[in-house]
Amino acid sequence: MTRRVFLCTAAAIRSRAQGRLQVPIHRVMDARAHCTPEQLRHFWSSIWPEAVRDFNRGGIELQTSDGPGEVRRSAGDNPILIGLRRGVINLVLTDHLPMYWDNGRSLAGVTTLWDGYPVSMITLPYAHGNQIPFLSVNTCVHELLHVLLQDIFVSRPNWYQSDGREFRSDWYATGLWIFHDGGGIRESAQACVDRLRSAVSGRT
Ligand SMILES: [Zn+2]
């Protein structure tokens, strides 16, 4: 390898490294959830590693931390979430969604801004990995994209906006999965991470 080639290669590696975006994720296992060992095993050995890999290939690194917490439910009311952190995306793992969010639909996940905290809640019995491009993608990737594409910061979207966001999330998730392409996500994801950080610095 000539010196010039070496320098070009080193520069390419460096710029690629600089182009990678790090997204802080705080994982909370709901202490009240009753998940089977098989559901836990499937999530940790298959669904979550697949999500990490898909984002990674698109230039987005998930930086994870773990902590205790729980979901306190009351029929029809907004749930109370314990153990969330500021400045991160909180990934709450549970066995079923609160009625208030699920409305009897048995969803695999939901993403929202709860008391100012970005929260993706995943139900382990219904969560799944990539199945069908554009239609059924990894539950964690789909839900985290709702935060990274900043859907949660728009209050009261219209029905067509909501439907559009579902499709958009699956579209970009498929891009990560099949084409290893995160180009359409990174700019918004960077703005999202900046927003999370400024929310923390604004409080301190
Ligand atoms: Zn969705």
Side-chain angles (χ1 to χ4, degrees):
M1 184 185 283
T2 65
R3 183 168 180 274
R4 186 161 174 268
V5 170
F6 173 76
L7 288 176
C8 286
T9 307
I13 291 170
R14 194 167 57 242
S15 69
R16 227 191 121 164
Q18 286 168 344
R20 295 185 72 75
L21 175 65
Q22 295 177 331
V23 175
I25 308 282
H26 183 60
R27 300 181 300 199
V28 175
M29 184 72 219
D30 175 13
R32 297 185 177 213
H34 298 284
C35 297
T36 66
E38 174 54 27
Q39 287 164 355
L40 289 165
R41 191 198 62 74
H42 182 54
F43 182 82
W44 290 116
S45 70
S46 175
I47 298 172
W48 179 250
E50 184 179 71
V52 170
R53 189 198 64 202
D54 284 2
F55 276 114
N56 212 24
R57 285 172 172 169
I60 296 170
E61 283 173 28
L62 304 183
Q63 288 187 315
T64 55
S65 59
D66 293 282
E70 63 182 73
V71 182
R72 293 185 185 160
R73 299 171 167 86
S74 58
D77 288 330
N78 206 0
I80 295 171
L81 308 182
I82 309 293
L84 306 188
R85 287 190 183 166
R86 299 276 178 202
V88 300
I89 302 172
N90 293 277
L91 187 83
V92 178
L93 308 174
T94 188
D95 57 349
H96 67 282
L97 294 180
M99 276 293 283
Y100 184 77
W101 289 345
D102 186 64
N103 225 352
R105 290 171 292 174
S106 301
L107 297 174
V110 69
T111 296
T112 189
L113 202 58
W114 183 86
D115 195 21
Y117 297 90
V119 177
S120 284
M121 192 178 287
I122 308 291
T123 52
L124 266 48
Y126 304 113
H128 53 79
N130 289 320
Q131 293 172 332
I132 307 166
F134 305 106
L135 286 176
S136 181
V137 297
N138 184 294
T139 305
C140 293
V141 177
H142 175 98
E143 294 304 330
L144 291 174
L145 281 173
H146 280 312
V147 185
L148 296 175
L149 296 170
Q150 305 187 75
D151 296 346
I152 58 165
F153 298 114
V154 180
S155 57
R156 301 184 183 282
N158 297 321
W159 63 268
Y160 62 87
Q161 289 177 315
S162 302
D163 279 2
R165 287 189 181 126
E166 292 311 306
F167 179 72
R168 188 171 69 149
S169 195
D170 287 345
W171 172 277
Y172 283 120
T174 301
L176 289 169
W177 166 27
I178 306 279
F179 306 109
H180 307 169
D181 175 23
I185 302 164
R186 272 202 300 275
E187 195 175 324
S188 175
Q190 179 68 64
C192 175
V193 170
D194 292 344
R195 196 168 182 162
L196 295 177
R197 286 201 189 108
S198 68
V200 176
S201 57
R203 281 171 176 264
T204 50

